[in-house]
Amino acid sequence: MKSLWSLKGKRVLITGGTKGIGEAVAEQFLNFGAEVLIIARDQDRIREKLDDAKQFKLPLYGLAADISSSDERKLIQLKVKQLWDGHLDILVNNVGMNIRKPTEKYLDIEFDRIMQTNLLGLFDLTRQLFPFLRKEEGFSSIVNVSSVAGLTHLRTGSVYAMSKAAINQFTKNIAVEWAPENIRCNAVAPWYIDTPLANQVLKDPDYLEEVLERTPAGRIGTPEEVAATIAFLCMPASYYITGQTIAIDGGFTVNGF
């Protein structure tokens, strides 16, 4: 009987795969037997990850590229063609950025930067990889890393929230539109996770206390917990799940007064 809990031999592309959630996702997929291509802007960081993987003979590959650049998104497509002959089983759209400030304070250039990275980059890369993801047998899986900011109000960062809410809707559309091609699409929406990006604001003890008060689980999540959910959403065990946005938030989004 084929295992429902394996990713052995699957070919996986992860954007933002060298730190935080993306790094944990890459490690999780490698542990489950997948071949992994990580995309990030920092060539030195990619080289470090590849050197570590080489010691353990892990099938990890890397490409330095900026997902907000149209030309560099084309390089990603070309890399998949060269590496796996244009075959891809799993796409994890993880890369993202934020600028936290009140709505009336945003500059046009800041709006454009967030949308280019979080939304346009994800949208264009996903559609470019569509021919590689379509399957005649079995399923491919797309997992978009969204945020609870796309589900409910947070204190600042309306532009970031807009980009993540759009990702949640894109997830639904792709799940239905590409279902005939045997492509599933889901999203995960983390709350505060112990990553360098989140720690920029969580280092404020008063703010951290407020966050924990609003989180029924009473703690910050870990990158490994997000990665485990993403891995599950790509396994045969989840093949009847598509079009969903799963909050990984310790209960934050359902916490009333």
Side-chain angles (χ1 to χ4, degrees):
M1 179 179 177
K2 186 176 180 181
S3 173
L4 297 178
W5 305 97
S6 174
L7 294 167
K8 187 173 179 59
K10 297 295 184 181
R11 295 150 296 196
V12 184
L13 188 154
I14 303 168
T15 65
T18 59
K19 58 185 179 181
I21 291 172
E23 181 179 30
V25 172
E27 292 175 357
Q28 193 81 253
F29 277 101
L30 288 168
N31 287 337
F32 280 111
E35 298 179 38
V36 176
L37 170 61
I38 53 174
I39 309 296
R41 291 178 298 179
D42 190 338
Q43 177 66 67
D44 291 337
R45 181 67 174 163
I46 288 177
R47 191 176 294 112
E48 290 176 12
K49 300 303 294 182
L50 296 183
D51 288 344
D52 290 343
K54 189 175 181 180
Q55 294 182 34
F56 298 98
K57 298 181 179 179
L58 296 172
L60 179 68
Y61 311 94
L63 175 68
D66 184 348
I67 194 175
S68 68
S69 164
S70 175
D71 289 340
E72 297 193 25
R73 291 194 295 270
K74 292 176 183 176
L75 291 178
I76 297 172
Q77 183 190 49
L78 181 61
K79 181 70 174 180
V80 175
K81 282 184 179 179
Q82 295 172 338
L83 184 61
W84 292 315
D85 194 28
H87 295 286
L88 186 65
D89 300 301
I90 296 165
L91 170 63
V92 180
N93 286 310
N94 167 67
V95 74
M97 57 86 64
N98 192 9
I99 299 172
R100 296 178 175 88
K101 56 170 55 178
T103 298
E104 69 275 12
K105 301 293 186 181
Y106 277 103
L107 304 175
D108 289 351
I109 192 172
E110 293 172 328
F111 178 94
D112 290 344
R113 184 182 170 201
I114 293 171
M115 287 297 182
Q116 285 278 345
T117 300
N118 293 5
L119 189 57
L120 178 57
L122 178 150
F123 169 78
D124 186 46
L125 181 63
T126 301
R127 66 177 176 176
Q128 283 194 40
L129 296 176
F130 167 71
F132 306 156
L133 288 162
R134 62 197 308 182
K135 294 281 185 290
E136 292 184 4
E137 295 181 357
F139 291 93
S140 293
S141 181
I142 300 169
V143 180
N144 298 319
V145 178
S146 179
S147 167
V148 295
L151 300 173
T152 190
H153 169 263
L154 299 182
R155 188 169 299 172
T156 59
S158 62
V159 182
Y160 176 81
M162 290 164 62
S163 72
K164 294 300 184 176
I167 287 170
N168 295 343
Q169 184 60 46
F170 179 64
T171 297
K172 295 176 183 178
N173 280 77
I174 290 303
V176 176
E177 186 177 340
W178 291 357
E181 307 294 342
N182 290 332
I183 300 172
R184 298 184 304 118
C185 187
N186 292 288
V188 295
W191 175 219
Y192 276 114
I193 304 297
D194 186 12
T195 66
L197 183 65
N199 290 335
Q200 293 175 18
V201 292
L202 294 178
K203 63 185 179 182
D204 179 341
D206 292 334
Y207 186 70
L208 174 60
E209 183 179 358
E210 288 186 74
V211 167
L212 296 180
E213 284 178 352
R214 298 296 306 149
T215 307
R219 64 175 176 85
I220 303 302
T222 69
E224 291 74 20
E225 288 171 319
V226 181
T229 303
I230 293 173
F232 165 70
L233 288 172
C234 299
M235 291 179 174
S238 69
Y239 275 1
Y240 203 51
I241 300 174
T242 194
Q244 304 303 306
T245 297
I246 300 175
I248 306 173
D249 65 352
F252 166 75
T253 52
V254 296
N255 190 13
F257 178 66

